[in-house]
Amino acid sequence: MNRPDSKVVNAIHQASFIKGDALDIPTLKVLDPQGVVIEGAQMPDIDETLALKIYDTLAFIRVFDERMVASQRQGRISFYMTCKGEEAAITGSAAALSDDDMIMAQYREQAALRFRGFSTPNFMNQLFSNAKDLGKGRQMPIHYGSNELNYMTISSPLATQIPQAAGYAYGQKLQGNDALTICYFGEGAASEGDFHAGLNMAAVLRAPTIFFCRNNGYAISTGTDEQYAGDGIAPRGVGYGIETIRVDGNDLLAVLLATQTAREYALKHNKPVLIEAMSYRLGAHSTSDDPSGYRSKEEEDLWAQIDGVLRFKTWMMSQGWWDEDKDAALFDKYRAEVLSELKVSEKIGAPALDELVTDVYNDVPKHLQQQLSDLKTHIAKYPDAYPSAKGESH
Amino acid sequence: MNRPDSKVVNAIHQASFIKGDALDIPTLKVLDPQGVVIEGAQMPDIDETLALKIYDTLAFIRVFDERMVASQRQGRISFYMTCKGEEAAITGSAAALSDDDMIMAQYREQAALRFRGFSTPNFMNQLFSNAKDLGKGRQMPIHYGSNELNYMTISSPLATQIPQAAGYAYGQKLQGNDALTICYFGEGAASEGDFHAGLNMAAVLRAPTIFFCRNNGYAISTGTDEQYAGDGIAPRGVGYGIETIRVDGNDLLAVLLATQTAREYALKHNKPVLIEAMSYRLGAHSTSDDPSGYRSKEEEDLWAQIDGVLRFKTWMMSQGWWDEDKDAALFDKYRAEVLSELKVSEKIGAPALDELVTDVYNDVPKHLQQQLSDLKTHIAKYPDAYPSAKGESH
Amino acid sequence: MAQMNLLHAINSALDHAMEENERVLCFGEDVGHFGGVFRATSGLQEKFGKDRCFNTPLVEQGILGFANGLAAQGSVPIAEIQFADYIFPAFDQIVNETAKFRYRSGNEFNVGSLVIRTPYGGGIAGGLYHSQSPEAYFTGTPGIKVVVPRNPYQAKGLLTACINDKDPVIFFEPKRLYRASIGEVPEESYEIELGKAEVVAEGSDVTLLGWGAQMEIIEQACEMAKEQGISCEIIDLRTLAPWDVDTVAKSVTKTGRLIISHEAPITGGFAGEISATISDQCFLHLESPIGRVCGLDTPYPLMQEKEYVADKYKIFEAIKASVNF
Amino acid sequence: MAQMNLLHAINSALDHAMEENERVLCFGEDVGHFGGVFRATSGLQEKFGKDRCFNTPLVEQGILGFANGLAAQGSVPIAEIQFADYIFPAFDQIVNETAKFRYRSGNEFNVGSLVIRTPYGGGIAGGLYHSQSPEAYFTGTPGIKVVVPRNPYQAKGLLTACINDKDPVIFFEPKRLYRASIGEVPEESYEIELGKAEVVAEGSDVTLLGWGAQMEIIEQACEMAKEQGISCEIIDLRTLAPWDVDTVAKSVTKTGRLIISHEAPITGGFAGEISATISDQCFLHLESPIGRVCGLDTPYPLMQEKEYVADKYKIFEAIKASVNF
Ligand SMILES: Cc1ncc(C[n+]2csc(CCOP(=O)(O)OP(=O)(O)O)c2C)c(N)n1
Ligand SMILES: Cc1ncc(C[n+]2csc(CCOP(=O)(O)OP(=O)(O)O)c2C)c(N)n1
Ligand SMILES: [Mg+2]
Ligand SMILES: [Mg+2]
């Protein structure tokens, strides 16, 4: 460590503060608000196939989010959260990864899971908590997860996945399998102690992790001015000695570029990178929320104008890779698919009663076997009182 | 919040990171390593009276620390921690405060408490956990506290005092009593989630708090290279939008100047300030520790050469406020005082048995009254087995 | 008297407390202008200003740390944790700090003015992380009080007592009843004494004990038992720590039988402590084993909530088993 | 066989585990080159390298978060928390994450390979924050196992079993015995089965139950009782969650009497759960109330530790009270 009198130390002799806004962190942009590439901008690594896959994801998620909010209103599912407004940030970053990379998300990143190949029935079965839900109907809607797709099951407690991502990435590094972990979280979750723990540990222990902060302006009703006093989340990266980049989250090409660059850097140096994507939660926090109580329609409209999906579509069209007919057909296809899969999934029955006690431990211990058998005896006495005995799906 | 397309945003179009070392944080110095004022350096607000009080504290603590480590070795007390090497940082900062300011320390800041007026018997009684310990003999040695002196009782769990300091300061602000809270912590404790919570909350909620990080190079055996990967603790301040200053912790005048400036700023603007004092833990972590297992004698010697007490003494002598005769007399006085008070305190008996159940709640609830009376009945059966029945002090 | 639901009753208690003492502060995630995700603090920021009712950043350990500091300073902080499931990041601040603050300092300092409010419990299709009943983690921690109300009248009176009490209190709010439970509540401020269980219904054959939202279920089971000619005495424990052993012991001495029901998993739940204590105190009076009707020893499920919970049928069966032992 | 103290036994178990499986990692505060403040990981960094045995930054919630991630990834993390008193900042990662990881994901992911090691308990003049026995916070949490060894032989065999077990385990190490308890321990690796209590001594009049460092105290009380002609059966529970009800119930059915002793405060301690369960299962066999000899319901004191703890005299008195009931 540096002795305070060592020559390399930069000394001052007047008491003056480093200001809270000392770092003027720029924002990476490739597309302008209209979806035109800014002159001289560096392009990400993207070809037509990738672009089409990205857009396919964006279209699906738009349709799916809209449809599932409607289903919630109809009482068909109990809860839902859209990623509306943030699709570009989520899909653009997911598209920069290898399939071997682990994704640890917060809850609003269904587009990343879709990009990985989660099928429409996969989504639906989770939302309906039915027997085909990979999560066995145990968590609320939107808590997806898939071992096969390297997408860690969502857990509601915020920010817990941040130090977990550092650990996961450290394990990947030791195994030498050229894969890393991306960790998504909101600017609200970044206030949790686990954020501090995760970023510092990843930096010190050199875990190849991409910390991807979705700064969407709100944590439920709490705006960023009540969440932090500094210049967002990016300057914190410098506090941990982490290479950091801020990006326009509504600019898919910029997000893709930033994440591709981050991935390369992280794997090459075995170091974490922090990306802050500036975007906006266009919808309500969840179907339980009504944002009109805490923000204005004008604000929402302002952000809708620079929507990342539209900008990316415009760019694809300018490449000659897309047109309005294809667009209409794609949206139609997904509307139909979502509707028909919904009808299938909502008819699938609930998980077996035995699943009530599995997976608490690797094997079902004696006391839980006993509790299950007592329960079955009890249910047999009151068959009408319990859905499982009545064979109800809900 | 800023729309990412707004004109005020500083945009880039090539993927380049803000480097982990982007902030080059300078160190405030007033005295050179020999204790001579650096030309052109700003002076803190200090007169002879204050200087003498500061030096008196430094001298006492040097004597006291040395003597109590020896007492621990003799088995007279069970545990001790010195602040050797960091006296200048601690006393210099405490000297910048008003007596109304609350001090929330970690555990190595006995010099601040002495500066406030904690008497030698006060210290001793805590160390001996006797009936006169303000803490009623409940915590391990060095867990001092004094309501009268606005010095919060030390608690062992690290960093918990950091968000508490923010809350305390917020309360002071609402009461409008022109006082603030200073919160001391080590660079190790700064890794805890509570650090993140406390600094961010103080910044957002505008709590007049001085966060004073003693960066002394070690957390027990863990050096700073295993504690953080960035440039120390100071750059984190910028992450929270907090005005920040780094100071040579072995330069008492620089610490005093930084803290005086911080106090003025914090009270005027109702905002927190972060000070990072670069110093070195010259002694072992505690009497339970032996640093030879993890660091070199050479390193220790290097730091001993720029000892803050000596530098301050040299400066005082250059002011004509101090000389070697006075110095010898002062040290002699404290050696005698510590020795004689030690003998007094170690003879004082233990706290009354009844204190075993007080202060768990404001009133002793029924079940604790019962437990105490059962205990007394029990002790009466085995008078030899219990110190309280035998009237032993330990 | 007015008709209020449980949320209104809580809001009214907070409103009175803030009105009466300007040092009372309410804060937590989204509690400011939005009034909390359940709207318990609705209107308070408007009325008392942003300094006294405010949003915090999203950090439970910070909320409790900040609250501990405020309480030590002499303010009267009422900190909200949005769901009891999210109280665990603040566990160290509560268990190592709040609970030990006065004791460790020899009463030089205390955080006795602190109140922690948090919605707990199931029955709202909330699954693992919006249904937990973590009271036993706190009833096993000397130095904090734990209080749970069962209806709007109790909620207002108990919360007011918590705010005025000189010890830190965790006030668990039964969120399933927030809007579902409606009752007569005085407009003015009043207190219900802490540390006292309430005999809600007298009976002779068996004592049924619970707290919070579970009281409603217990009452339903009592009705079922009544139809079979079984007379149940019902006790609402209300204050779980320190708890009113005497009232429970007196009842069990009379009935000879006890059934405790709570939402949390059976193993390690607070029913075990009660059972152990009452078994000890009423050993010679017990005519059958003390029954515990609780959640299963698993995380709280979503789809199988109905099967999982301690419902009236399970309690009724336990009553019969106890009486027919 | 070799003579080892409890620390050596633990070190030996870790050494074997790291030797046998390169995915085993040991980390925590000061566990790297220094070998931990108690030296339990001494020599491991030297032998297995800095990648596999390392210091972490000072952040318990991070240590457990990192460990959860590693376990989910397929590594075998052995995370040390320097003192059990400092496990609370990691409480959310343990209770909401570790314990629920497999269940919530429908077994898509699990952290079954995780072991948390932490020194617990009093008797070392540690006061409030270096003496706690927080096991009951975890025994009430479905999804984690809790194990406590009583001597070096047990420590090595149980820790090895924990490392090989497919569920996350918290391994509480009785720090008072680290150097004080010495015994014969095989040099090679071996396992002691989890989930099984051990009848340490057979007896006929009363069953004494405990775990960890308390076993030594219980044995001393048993000696005192023997002199009075009372025959005690002694059981070491060893695995506290899920616990071996059958072995305890069988013994109590035989003796008709049970005394449980632990260091933690009585209210909310794990003895309550055991008492409730055994009262239920052995109702007709119990000849006296189940005794609980535990810490008082206060934080752990310093000066009055001797008076506070559940020592042999208190256990002996409880034995007499039980037998003479
Ligand atoms: C530990 C914890 N505290 C509180 C909550 C309740 N909660 C759920 S989402 C949310 C806001 C999160 O905001 P942010 O991280 O910005 O993500 P966004 O919703 O904007 O995507 C809150 C407070 C929670 N799930 N976990
Ligand atoms: C929450 C918590 N974790 C661990 C410890 C054990 N511990 C006591 S001091 C210490 C090192 C602290 O280092 P630092 O903050 O740099 O302070 P310094 O000792 O250097 O003054 C540790 C790990 C603790 N007291 N509290
Ligand atoms: Mg957000
Ligand atoms: Mg340090």
Side-chain angles (χ1 to χ4, degrees):
Chain A
M1 61 171 301
N2 273 338
R3 270 177 56 170
D5 65 330
S6 85
K7 290 287 172 301
V8 293
V9 167
N10 167 4
I12 51 170
H13 309 299
Q14 313 289 321
S16 75
F17 297 123
I18 304 288
K19 296 279 165 251
D21 56 3
L23 281 166
D24 187 16
I25 298 197
T27 305
L28 177 68
K29 289 163 176 286
V30 173
L31 290 173
D32 74 8
Q34 283 69 47
V36 179
V37 172
I38 294 167
E39 222 185 280
Q42 182 183 351
M43 285 297 288
D45 185 7
I46 186 169
D47 60 11
E48 184 173 356
T49 314
L50 180 59
L52 288 172
K53 183 171 176 197
I54 289 172
Y55 194 71
D56 187 81
T57 302
L58 297 172
F60 171 79
I61 288 294
R62 274 270 145 114
V63 169
F64 188 65
D65 275 356
E66 202 185 293
R67 188 65 212 114
M68 297 322 294
V69 167
S71 304
Q72 192 277 337
R73 297 234 169 87
Q74 295 164 348
R76 295 164 89 170
I77 59 172
S78 61
F79 178 82
Y80 194 75
M81 291 179 111
T82 78
C83 63
K84 192 165 179 203
E86 298 176 72
E87 299 94 335
I90 298 159
T91 314
S93 49
L97 306 175
S98 135
D99 282 351
D100 290 339
D101 293 338
M102 170 53 67
I103 298 179
M104 292 201 181
Q106 179 160 310
Y107 49 56
R108 208 182 287 289
E109 295 85 354
Q110 51 265 43
L113 182 55
R114 178 65 178 190
F115 188 86
R116 275 283 165 92
F118 210 58
S119 71
T120 310
N122 281 160
F123 278 106
M124 289 290 182
N125 294 333
Q126 199 287 327
L127 296 174
F128 283 104
S129 314
N130 65 30
K132 291 196 170 165
D133 169 19
L134 292 177
K136 303 188 184 165
R138 290 176 183 145
Q139 290 204 80
M140 283 176 69
I142 68 95
H143 289 69
Y144 313 110
S146 165
N147 188 307
E148 190 194 334
L149 300 179
N150 288 317
Y151 192 94
M152 181 61 68
T153 301
I154 302 301
S155 92
S156 316
L158 288 167
T160 50
Q161 81 279 16
I162 304 177
Q164 289 172 13
Y168 203 103
Y170 187 86
Q172 289 170 311
K173 176 181 83 168
L174 288 203
Q175 282 211 288
N177 45 16
D178 205 43
L180 51 65
T181 298
I182 191 167
C183 178
Y184 291 96
F185 52 93
E187 88 294 340
S191 292
E192 293 279 9
D194 274 357
F195 164 89
H196 184 60
L199 271 77
N200 190 41
M201 288 184 78
V204 174
L205 297 167
R206 302 185 65 122
T209 327
I210 300 176
F211 294 107
F212 193 99
C213 179
R214 297 183 290 94
N215 189 332
N216 64 5
Y218 288 89
I220 310 186
S221 77
T222 304
T224 53
D225 56 328
E226 294 181 311
Q227 195 65 248
Y228 52 72
D231 172 26
I233 307 305
R236 297 185 191 167
V238 178
Y240 303 115
I242 294 180
E243 316 292 297
T244 299
I245 189 164
R246 174 173 282 159
V247 61
D248 177 350
N250 287 10
D251 175 348
L252 196 143
L253 293 181
V255 173
L256 181 62
L257 173 61
T259 315
Q260 285 173 340
T261 312
R263 183 172 192 278
E264 200 186 313
Y265 180 91
L267 281 177
K268 185 163 160 202
H269 299 279
N270 277 325
K271 277 187 173 186
V273 175
L274 171 62
I275 301 177
E276 182 181 26
M278 308 307 288
S279 185
Y280 190 79
R281 195 195 76 209
L282 270 183
H285 171 70
S286 73
T287 50
S288 313
D289 175 51
D290 173 10
S292 69
Y294 54 83
R295 71 186 193 189
S296 69
K297 186 82 181 54
E298 290 72 55
E299 183 184 291
E300 291 174 5
D301 289 346
L302 211 61
W303 280 89
Q305 284 164 29
I306 50 164
D307 178 46
V309 176
L310 283 184
R311 282 159 78 183
F312 186 69
K313 176 180 153 191
T314 306
W315 175 75
M316 281 190 48
M317 287 169 64
S318 77
Q319 298 295 105
W321 296 343
W322 200 245
D323 61 39
E324 291 293 359
D325 286 348
K326 285 183 186 158
D327 204 61
L330 183 65
F331 275 81
D332 282 350
K333 178 186 112 181
Y334 279 137
R335 275 190 205 104
E337 179 180 321
V338 166
L339 218 62
S340 73
E341 291 298 347
L342 193 153
K343 284 180 189 150
V344 174
S345 290
E346 72 181 342
K347 290 202 187 78
I348 299 174
L353 182 60
D354 289 36
E355 300 289 7
L356 189 49
V357 299
T358 59
D359 304 331
V360 182
Y361 302 91
N362 185 58
D363 301 312
V364 181
K366 206 174 155 198
H367 70 289
L368 281 177
Q369 290 175 21
Q370 185 65 48
Q371 290 180 14
L372 180 66
S373 93
D374 291 350
L375 176 63
K376 286 183 175 170
T377 309
H378 175 78
I379 290 174
K381 289 188 195 154
Y382 299 91
D384 291 347
Y386 299 96
S388 69
K390 286 198 288 180
E392 272 179 21
S393 62
H394 286 94
Chain B
M1 61 170 300
N2 272 340
R3 270 177 55 170
D5 65 330
S6 85
K7 291 286 170 303
V8 292
V9 166
N10 167 5
I12 50 167
H13 309 298
Q14 313 290 324
S16 75
F17 297 122
I18 303 288
K19 296 280 167 255
D21 57 2
L23 280 165
D24 186 18
I25 298 197
T27 305
L28 178 68
K29 290 163 175 288
V30 173
L31 289 173
D32 74 8
Q34 283 68 47
V36 179
V37 173
I38 294 167
E39 221 185 281
Q42 183 183 349
M43 284 297 289
D45 185 5
I46 185 169
D47 59 11
E48 183 174 355
T49 314
L50 180 60
L52 288 172
K53 183 170 175 195
I54 289 171
Y55 193 71
D56 187 80
T57 303
L58 297 172
F60 172 80
I61 288 294
R62 274 269 146 116
V63 168
F64 188 66
D65 275 356
E66 202 184 292
R67 188 64 212 118
M68 297 323 293
V69 167
S71 305
Q72 193 278 335
R73 298 234 170 88
Q74 297 164 349
R76 295 163 90 169
I77 58 172
S78 61
F79 178 83
Y80 193 74
M81 291 178 110
T82 78
C83 64
K84 192 163 180 206
E86 298 175 72
E87 300 94 334
I90 299 158
T91 314
S93 49
L97 306 175
S98 135
D99 283 350
D100 291 340
D101 294 337
M102 170 53 67
I103 297 178
M104 292 200 181
Q106 179 159 312
Y107 50 56
R108 208 182 287 289
E109 295 86 355
Q110 51 266 45
L113 182 55
R114 178 65 177 190
F115 187 87
R116 274 284 166 91
F118 210 59
S119 71
T120 310
N122 281 160
F123 279 106
M124 289 289 183
N125 294 332
Q126 199 287 325
L127 296 175
F128 285 104
S129 315
N130 66 29
K132 292 196 169 166
D133 169 20
L134 292 177
K136 302 187 186 166
R138 289 175 182 146
Q139 290 204 77
M140 283 176 68
I142 68 96
H143 290 68
Y144 313 110
S146 165
N147 188 307
E148 190 193 334
L149 299 179
N150 287 317
Y151 191 94
M152 181 61 69
T153 300
I154 302 302
S155 91
S156 317
L158 288 167
T160 50
Q161 81 279 16
I162 305 177
Q164 289 172 12
Y168 204 101
Y170 187 86
Q172 289 169 311
K173 175 181 84 168
L174 289 202
Q175 282 211 289
N177 45 17
D178 206 42
L180 52 64
T181 298
I182 190 168
C183 178
Y184 291 96
F185 53 92
E187 88 295 338
S191 292
E192 292 279 7
D194 274 359
F195 164 90
H196 183 61
L199 270 79
N200 190 41
M201 288 185 77
V204 174
L205 297 166
R206 302 184 64 121
T209 327
I210 299 176
F211 294 108
F212 193 98
C213 178
R214 297 184 290 94
N215 189 333
N216 63 6
Y218 288 88
I220 309 185
S221 76
T222 304
T224 53
D225 56 327
E226 293 181 310
Q227 196 64 250
Y228 51 72
D231 172 27
I233 307 304
R236 297 185 192 166
V238 178
Y240 303 115
I242 294 180
E243 315 292 295
T244 299
I245 189 162
R246 173 173 285 158
V247 61
D248 177 350
N250 287 10
D251 175 347
L252 197 142
L253 293 182
V255 173
L256 181 62
L257 172 61
T259 315
Q260 285 174 340
T261 312
R263 184 174 191 276
E264 201 185 314
Y265 180 90
L267 281 176
K268 185 163 162 202
H269 299 278
N270 277 324
K271 277 187 172 184
V273 175
L274 172 62
I275 301 177
E276 182 182 26
M278 309 307 288
S279 185
Y280 190 80
R281 197 195 75 208
L282 270 183
H285 171 71
S286 72
T287 50
S288 313
D289 176 51
D290 173 9
S292 69
Y294 53 83
R295 70 187 193 189
S296 68
K297 187 82 182 51
E298 291 71 56
E299 183 185 291
E300 290 173 6
D301 289 345
L302 210 64
W303 281 89
Q305 284 164 28
I306 51 164
D307 178 45
V309 176
L310 284 184
R311 283 157 78 183
F312 186 70
K313 176 180 152 192
T314 305
W315 175 75
M316 281 190 47
M317 287 171 60
S318 76
Q319 297 296 104
W321 295 343
W322 201 245
D323 59 38
E324 292 293 0
D325 287 347
K326 286 184 185 159
D327 204 61
L330 182 65
F331 275 80
D332 282 349
K333 178 186 113 181
Y334 280 138
R335 275 189 207 105
E337 179 180 322
V338 166
L339 217 62
S340 72
E341 291 297 347
L342 193 152
K343 286 181 189 149
V344 175
S345 290
E346 70 181 343
K347 291 205 185 74
I348 299 173
L353 182 61
D354 288 37
E355 300 290 7
L356 189 49
V357 299
T358 59
D359 304 332
V360 182
Y361 302 91
N362 185 58
D363 301 312
V364 181
K366 209 176 152 192
H367 70 288
L368 280 177
Q369 291 175 21
Q370 185 65 50
Q371 291 179 13
L372 179 66
S373 92
D374 292 350
L375 177 62
K376 286 182 174 170
T377 311
H378 174 78
I379 291 174
K381 290 188 197 155
Y382 298 92
D384 292 345
Y386 298 96
S388 69
K390 287 197 287 180
E392 271 179 20
S393 60
H394 286 93
Chain C
M1 291 283 217
Q3 287 279 342
M4 289 189 198
N5 66 24
L6 206 143
L7 274 174
H8 291 148
I10 286 164
N11 187 265
S12 171
L14 298 174
D15 191 347
H16 282 296
M18 294 186 84
E19 188 84 52
E20 284 161 22
N21 180 357
E22 66 167 24
R23 309 221 43 197
V24 175
L25 311 175
C26 290
F27 52 89
E29 293 157 16
D30 301 295
V31 311
H33 55 294
F34 193 55
V37 293
F38 290 104
R39 323 307 303 264
T41 54
S42 192
L44 299 179
Q45 182 176 90
E46 236 178 296
K47 191 160 167 193
F48 301 105
K50 241 188 129 158
D51 276 354
R52 294 185 55 204
C53 175
F54 52 89
N55 286 346
T56 62
L58 209 171
V59 54
E60 292 77 12
Q61 64 193 108
I63 294 172
L64 261 296
F66 197 84
N68 278 330
L70 274 167
Q73 187 268 339
S75 297
V76 184
I78 305 177
E80 176 179 305
I81 295 294
Q82 203 163 76
F83 285 86
D85 311 72
Y86 305 135
I87 204 166
F88 302 124
F91 205 70
D92 188 54
Q93 281 287 347
I94 299 173
V95 160
N96 264 343
E97 295 291 316
T98 306
K100 300 176 172 64
F101 219 95
R102 193 192 292 271
Y103 188 82
R104 75 182 179 205
S105 73
N107 207 20
E108 288 285 295
F109 298 95
N110 75 81
V111 294
S113 61
L114 172 64
V115 176
I116 305 168
R117 293 180 39 248
T118 189
Y120 85 95
I124 60 152
L128 279 82
Y129 294 117
H130 295 83
S131 307
Q132 292 178 62
S133 296
E135 67 272 7
Y137 292 117
F138 302 100
T139 50
T141 305
I144 35 178
K145 292 182 175 171
V146 177
V147 174
V148 196
R150 73 172 180 278
N151 65 26
Y153 177 82
Q154 294 285 323
K156 182 169 172 181
L158 287 170
L159 180 53
T160 303
C162 292
I163 298 168
N164 296 335
D165 192 71
K166 291 194 164 53
D167 291 309
V169 191
I170 307 188
F171 187 74
F172 285 106
E173 303 175 358
K175 63 175 169 297
R176 184 172 65 77
L177 303 183
Y178 266 159
R179 294 193 169 80
S181 176
I182 298 172
E184 295 278 299
V185 178
E187 304 267 17
E188 67 278 7
S189 183
Y190 61 95
E191 283 193 28
I192 295 175
E193 193 182 344
L194 301 188
K196 295 264 173 271
E198 185 186 10
V199 178
V200 175
E202 300 205 6
S204 53
D205 296 332
V206 53
T207 303
L208 309 182
L209 174 67
W211 49 86
Q214 199 62 8
M215 292 312 299
E216 194 188 41
I217 317 291
I218 288 173
E219 283 169 15
Q220 289 164 4
C222 168
E223 283 307 308
M224 292 175 74
K226 204 172 175 178
E227 285 169 25
Q228 310 270 316
I230 304 171
S231 160
C232 302
E233 177 139 313
I234 301 181
I235 301 181
D236 176 4
L237 195 56
R238 301 196 293 193
T239 298
L240 276 63
W243 65 288
D244 183 356
V245 180
D246 291 349
T247 297
V248 180
K250 197 176 146 205
S251 172
V252 176
T253 302
K254 179 178 82 178
T255 62
R257 295 181 171 88
L258 174 63
I259 288 163
I260 312 158
S261 180
H262 59 56
E263 296 188 36
I266 183 165
T267 298
F270 194 54
E273 177 59 36
I274 298 170
S275 168
T277 301
I278 296 300
S279 287
D280 183 45
Q281 300 226 345
C282 304
F283 188 74
L284 297 175
H285 300 279
L286 277 176
E287 289 170 36
S288 66
I290 295 175
R292 292 188 283 166
V293 187
C294 307
L296 304 192
D297 283 328
T298 75
Y300 203 103
L302 184 79
M303 265 313 270
Q304 295 164 329
E305 182 165 11
K306 276 226 170 71
E307 287 78 12
Y308 173 85
V309 299
D311 64 10
K312 63 178 174 185
Y313 303 106
K314 295 183 186 173
I315 300 173
F316 175 56
E317 286 298 314
I319 293 171
K320 286 195 295 181
S322 179
V323 172
N324 301 329
F325 183 78
Chain D
M1 290 283 216
Q3 287 278 342
M4 290 189 197
N5 67 23
L6 208 143
L7 273 174
H8 291 149
I10 286 164
N11 188 264
S12 170
L14 297 175
D15 192 346
H16 281 297
M18 293 186 83
E19 188 84 53
E20 285 161 22
N21 181 355
E22 66 166 25
R23 307 219 46 195
V24 175
L25 311 175
C26 290
F27 52 89
E29 293 156 16
D30 302 295
V31 310
H33 55 294
F34 193 54
V37 293
F38 291 103
R39 323 307 304 263
T41 53
S42 191
L44 300 179
Q45 182 175 90
E46 236 178 296
K47 190 160 166 193
F48 301 104
K50 243 187 128 159
D51 276 353
R52 294 184 55 204
C53 176
F54 51 90
N55 286 347
T56 62
L58 210 170
V59 54
E60 292 77 11
Q61 63 194 108
I63 294 172
L64 261 296
F66 198 84
N68 278 329
L70 273 168
Q73 187 268 339
S75 298
V76 184
I78 305 177
E80 176 178 306
I81 296 294
Q82 202 163 79
F83 285 86
D85 310 72
Y86 305 135
I87 205 167
F88 302 124
F91 205 70
D92 188 54
Q93 280 288 348
I94 299 173
V95 160
N96 263 344
E97 295 290 316
T98 305
K100 299 176 172 63
F101 220 95
R102 193 191 292 272
Y103 187 82
R104 75 182 177 205
S105 72
N107 206 22
E108 289 285 295
F109 298 95
N110 75 82
V111 294
S113 61
L114 172 64
V115 175
I116 306 168
R117 294 179 39 246
T118 188
Y120 85 96
I124 59 152
L128 280 82
Y129 295 118
H130 296 83
S131 307
Q132 293 177 60
S133 297
E135 66 273 7
Y137 292 117
F138 301 100
T139 50
T141 304
I144 35 179
K145 292 182 176 171
V146 177
V147 174
V148 196
R150 73 172 181 279
N151 65 27
Y153 177 82
Q154 295 286 321
K156 182 169 172 182
L158 288 169
L159 180 53
T160 303
C162 292
I163 297 168
N164 296 335
D165 192 70
K166 291 195 164 50
D167 291 309
V169 191
I170 307 188
F171 187 75
F172 285 105
E173 302 174 358
K175 64 176 167 297
R176 184 171 65 76
L177 303 184
Y178 266 161
R179 294 194 170 80
S181 176
I182 297 172
E184 293 279 300
V185 177
E187 304 267 18
E188 67 278 7
S189 183
Y190 61 95
E191 283 193 30
I192 295 175
E193 193 183 346
L194 302 188
K196 295 264 174 272
E198 185 186 10
V199 179
V200 175
E202 299 206 7
S204 54
D205 295 331
V206 55
T207 303
L208 308 183
L209 175 67
W211 51 85
Q214 199 62 7
M215 292 312 298
E216 192 188 43
I217 317 290
I218 288 173
E219 284 169 17
Q220 290 163 4
C222 168
E223 283 307 308
M224 292 175 74
K226 202 170 177 181
E227 284 168 25
Q228 309 271 317
I230 305 171
S231 159
C232 301
E233 178 139 312
I234 301 180
I235 300 180
D236 176 3
L237 195 56
R238 302 197 292 192
T239 298
L240 277 63
W243 64 288
D244 183 357
V245 180
D246 292 349
T247 297
V248 181
K250 196 176 147 207
S251 172
V252 176
T253 302
K254 179 177 81 176
T255 63
R257 296 180 170 88
L258 175 62
I259 289 163
I260 312 158
S261 180
H262 59 55
E263 296 188 35
I266 183 165
T267 299
F270 194 54
E273 176 59 36
I274 298 170
S275 167
T277 301
I278 296 299
S279 287
D280 183 45
Q281 300 226 348
C282 305
F283 189 73
L284 297 175
H285 300 280
L286 277 176
E287 289 171 37
S288 66
I290 295 175
R292 291 188 284 167
V293 187
C294 307
L296 305 192
D297 284 328
T298 75
Y300 202 104
L302 184 79
M303 265 313 270
Q304 296 163 329
E305 181 165 10
K306 276 227 170 69
E307 287 78 12
Y308 173 84
V309 298
D311 63 10
K312 63 178 174 185
Y313 303 106
K314 294 183 186 173
I315 299 173
F316 176 56
E317 286 298 313
I319 293 171
K320 286 196 292 182
S322 180
V323 171
N324 301 328
F325 183 77

